Amino acid sequence: MLRFATTRLLAARPTVPSVLPRMAAMNKQPTLRFTSIRHMATQRAEDGAFVGGYSTQGSIRDASQAASMPSTQFKTKKPTTPGKRWLKRVPRDHLYKGKAVRALTVAKRSKGGRNNKGRITVRHRGGGHKRRIRILDWKRMDIGNQTVMRLEHDPGRTAWIALLRHDETGKLSYIVAPQGLKPGDTVTSYRGLAADADEIITHTVAIEPGNCMPLRMVPVGTIIHNIGLRRNGPAIMARAAGTYAQLIQTGETGYAQVRLMSGEVRRVPVEACATIGAVSNPDHQHEMLGKAGRSRWLGIRPTVRGVAMNAVDHPHGGGRGKSKGNKHPRSPWGVLAKGGKTRKTPNQFVVKPRPRR
């Protein structure tokens, strides 16, 4: 009986030649260049392949979940001091070691969280190291190829930035570096072609990380970032480290639908800009500063718990022992801090709100 069962199992196993055609079909390489916008959208929907290393089909979390997980390549220190024991930072060996282009920077004048009347409107701000903020090109209106000179660190943001040099004019500019961008790569902006419809149809469009174009030129399902909210406007959404969005619906006119990382689906004009790929430095959220002093270097002041205050300073203060007096969690001004409504009118551009806990 054992020999007969083994023979039936071997007979039911598919032969190797029958599996090879399916493996060859799975390894089919995508086409990344198209000469027509309409042909581009239809072909992307048929082949269901990948664009620039990012999945264009299925859920956005399945496409970029692995890239957002903590990396094993964090840089740590030997615990020679208490501050180094828990220090964990993303390696920056690939970044430029020199200074930024002086003409593309501006001094950051800290206000300590105060408004024009001198009153604190944002708590826990103040101090910190001197910084010069890099001026980034959020509109990408220059037509033509631009070469990536180097990757740099911007003290005013969490993502890496890339210094671009225009191949024809030699103009220098900074952009947010997408994942996978390296020095020597070429990026292109197609925003200047939006005014001439005939030129768009005959022009070759490359769906590569770092290329900027209107949403109506992007294939459905593509991972994007630096998304604008109006025509000829700057990039507004998905600009922080490791962020991305997915285009789920577009057309020649009207509004496109974009799914954000939070799960919210938002309507965006098809003439608004977007950059292909996800933002660099996805492991930023898993960094550990190691000590309180490093937060002070960043301009972050200490935060005191409400239950540790007196009754005149916070609704949770006062009393005997560690108790907030059977009160629901609320802010120092008595506003409910968990579950309370904050918007009076809903956003008309939100198709599907993000899931709430």
Side-chain angles (χ1 to χ4, degrees), residues 27-345:
N27 296 329
K28 179 182 177 181
Q29 296 296 328
T31 303
L32 297 181
R33 297 181 183 273
F34 306 91
T35 57
S36 174
I37 301 303
R38 295 182 182 275
H39 178 63
M40 176 178 63
T42 55
Q43 186 163 354
R44 299 308 304 158
E46 292 173 358
D47 56 15
F50 294 83
V51 173
Y54 302 96
S55 175
T56 60
Q57 301 293 332
S59 175
I60 188 173
R61 298 185 180 276
D62 298 337
S64 299
Q65 186 96 18
S68 61
M69 295 300 290
S71 173
T72 58
Q73 301 300 322
F74 282 102
K75 180 176 292 187
T76 58
K77 301 284 187 179
K78 290 185 178 180
T80 56
T81 61
K84 293 181 179 180
R85 180 176 299 275
W86 303 108
L87 180 63
K88 184 174 68 172
R89 307 195 70 185
V90 176
R92 303 182 180 183
D93 301 332
H94 63 290
L95 301 180
Y96 180 66
K97 304 301 187 298
K99 295 184 178 180
V101 180
R102 182 80 178 187
L104 298 178
T105 61
V106 61
K108 183 181 185 303
R109 304 302 181 187
S110 177
K111 298 180 180 179
R114 291 166 172 79
N115 60 2
N116 57 354
K117 297 181 179 179
R119 298 176 180 177
I120 296 178
T121 57
V122 181
R123 300 186 301 160
H124 316 137
R125 299 286 180 89
H129 198 281
K130 293 193 304 182
R131 289 182 286 184
R132 293 193 67 86
I133 303 303
R134 279 58 168 170
I135 302 175
L136 271 65
D137 183 11
W138 297 114
K139 294 188 177 182
R140 303 284 299 274
M141 298 299 296
D142 295 334
I143 303 176
N145 295 333
Q146 294 174 305
T147 303
V148 180
M149 304 298 295
R150 63 196 185 215
L151 300 181
E152 298 183 11
H153 165 70
D154 187 354
R157 65 188 65 257
T158 56
W160 312 136
I161 61 176
L163 178 63
L164 305 183
R165 183 181 184 275
H166 201 282
D167 293 348
E168 298 179 0
T169 62
K171 178 182 178 181
L172 298 177
S173 61
Y174 281 120
I175 65 168
V176 173
Q179 293 186 28
L181 195 68
K182 303 180 297 298
D185 293 349
T186 301
V187 296
T188 308
S189 176
Y190 299 97
R191 294 198 68 183
L193 301 176
D196 192 352
D198 296 334
E199 190 175 357
I200 294 177
I201 298 300
T202 59
H203 200 282
T204 300
V205 179
I207 310 299
E208 296 287 349
N211 290 353
C212 181
M213 62 193 69
L215 289 176
R216 61 190 178 90
M217 301 173 64
V218 181
V220 175
T222 305
I223 300 299
I224 55 178
H225 67 282
N226 282 5
I227 306 168
L229 295 180
R230 56 189 176 88
R231 183 178 183 180
N232 296 331
I236 300 296
M237 298 188 298
R239 306 193 318 188
T243 57
Y244 54 84
Q246 187 179 33
L247 183 65
I248 61 177
Q249 180 180 338
T250 186
E252 295 294 335
T253 59
Y255 290 89
Q257 291 189 10
V258 176
R259 182 188 294 122
L260 306 178
M261 287 187 64
S262 61
E264 175 180 303
V265 178
R266 178 185 288 260
R267 292 196 305 165
V268 181
V270 295
E271 293 85 5
C273 67
T275 305
I276 306 300
V279 184
S280 56
N281 194 17
D283 290 324
H284 168 76
Q285 58 177 331
H286 304 295
E287 283 189 335
M288 298 180 64
L289 298 181
K291 60 180 182 180
R294 196 175 295 272
S295 294
R296 301 304 299 264
W297 299 345
L298 299 177
I300 304 174
R301 300 186 68 236
T303 302
V304 180
R305 295 171 297 118
V307 294
M309 300 181 185
N310 295 324
V312 297
D313 299 321
H314 199 280
H316 296 170
R320 299 187 179 185
K322 298 180 180 180
S323 172
K324 59 178 182 293
N326 293 328
K327 297 180 181 179
H328 292 288
R330 57 190 66 222
S331 68
W333 304 276
V335 181
L336 292 176
K338 292 184 178 180
K341 298 290 184 179
T342 57
R343 288 190 177 182
K344 298 181 180 179
T345 58

